[in-house]
Amino acid sequence: MTMQINSREKTNVGKRYRSLSAERYARVLYELQIPKEAVQESETIFSENPVLCQVFDSPVVSREKKFRLIDRIFPPEIRNFLKTACRHQRLDIAGEIFEAYEAYCREQAHVVTAVLSCVEPPSREQLQKMETFLCGRYGAEKAEIQVCRNESLMGGFILRAGNDEYDWSIKGRLDRLKQKLTWR
């Protein structure tokens, strides 16, 4: 069970739009069984140096220079993968690939991710019940729940997992009641 408290209401966890190419490269990256540490180190290098994507995407920089750059700064285990992605001009979506890789790893490990928006953080027992619910609902072995504070809910909570949303907030209930009354 993972519990992180965050003040932002909108968080992209679970199913977020990623290109089909990123999804495919992520699966290949997973199937190559490259050590997770090498993948995470590469992701960190890309995130700390956003200009790298521009360099790898640039037609002005020769392929040989791009390959030498990969050999100099990335872990040896992932270099061939990055060179292949570079050869096919797909390193411009490196961030998406790494994001899709993490999601695919969780999926293969039967882990469901969810975001819990609430006014007050839940108790350990409540979090345990939500984890049990999510595991049963999605056939997962483990649930990772990110807790986000949202004062506008007035009470209760909203649990988002995959494409599903379970709204038990006071604000949600009032909105549904208002909608019913205006439809009459």
Side-chain angles (χ1 to χ4, degrees):
M1 168 177 30
T2 301
M3 182 172 139
Q4 302 170 344
I5 298 178
N6 188 333
S7 61
R8 293 177 298 156
E9 208 282 300
K10 300 242 183 221
T11 306
N12 294 320
V13 173
K15 303 258 184 197
R16 185 176 158 242
Y17 174 78
R18 287 182 287 272
S19 69
L20 188 55
S21 293
E23 298 284 344
R24 288 178 177 160
Y25 275 96
R27 286 180 185 216
V28 169
L29 186 57
Y30 179 84
E31 290 168 5
L32 288 172
Q33 298 179 346
I34 295 172
K36 203 163 180 113
E37 297 79 30
V39 175
Q40 289 171 338
E41 184 179 341
S42 299
E43 181 178 13
T44 302
I45 291 169
F46 272 106
S47 66
E48 290 176 353
N49 304 291
V51 75
L52 276 178
C53 287
Q54 295 170 357
V55 170
F56 289 124
D57 195 34
S58 173
V60 177
V61 181
S62 72
R63 185 180 291 170
E64 291 75 29
K65 287 183 181 179
K66 293 174 185 179
F67 286 1
R68 282 196 301 266
L69 183 61
I70 289 170
D71 287 334
R72 275 202 326 246
I73 62 175
F74 291 99
E77 303 90 347
I78 198 167
R79 289 178 186 161
N80 286 337
F81 172 81
L82 293 174
K83 287 177 183 178
T84 301
C86 181
R87 193 175 295 115
H88 294 285
Q89 300 175 339
R90 299 314 292 160
L91 282 180
D92 60 322
I93 59 168
E96 274 186 65
I97 293 170
F98 292 125
E99 187 179 294
Y101 170 79
E102 288 298 323
Y104 191 70
C105 285
R106 283 191 300 274
E107 183 183 314
Q108 295 305 303
H110 303 288
V111 176
V112 64
T113 57
V115 175
L116 176 67
S117 299
C118 54
V119 177
E120 293 294 321
S123 69
R124 195 121 184 90
E125 182 182 321
Q126 290 170 324
L127 212 51
Q128 207 84 39
K129 287 180 181 180
M130 287 181 201
E131 182 180 278
T132 303
F133 165 76
L134 290 169
C135 288
R137 175 76 168 87
Y138 295 96
E141 295 174 8
K142 182 181 173 192
E144 293 179 356
I145 302 173
Q146 180 179 356
V147 179
C148 299
R149 296 190 96 141
N150 183 348
E151 301 292 326
S152 71
L153 297 178
M154 297 186 270
F157 64 90
I158 298 174
L159 182 63
R160 292 183 184 95
N163 293 328
D164 300 324
E165 179 178 273
Y166 306 95
D167 188 347
W168 287 95
S169 66
I170 292 174
K171 182 181 182 310
R173 291 177 185 188
L174 288 173
D175 289 345
R176 287 189 296 275
L177 179 61
K178 179 180 173 185
Q179 187 178 30
K180 279 184 183 178
L181 291 174
T182 57
W183 279 95
R184 291 182 182 195

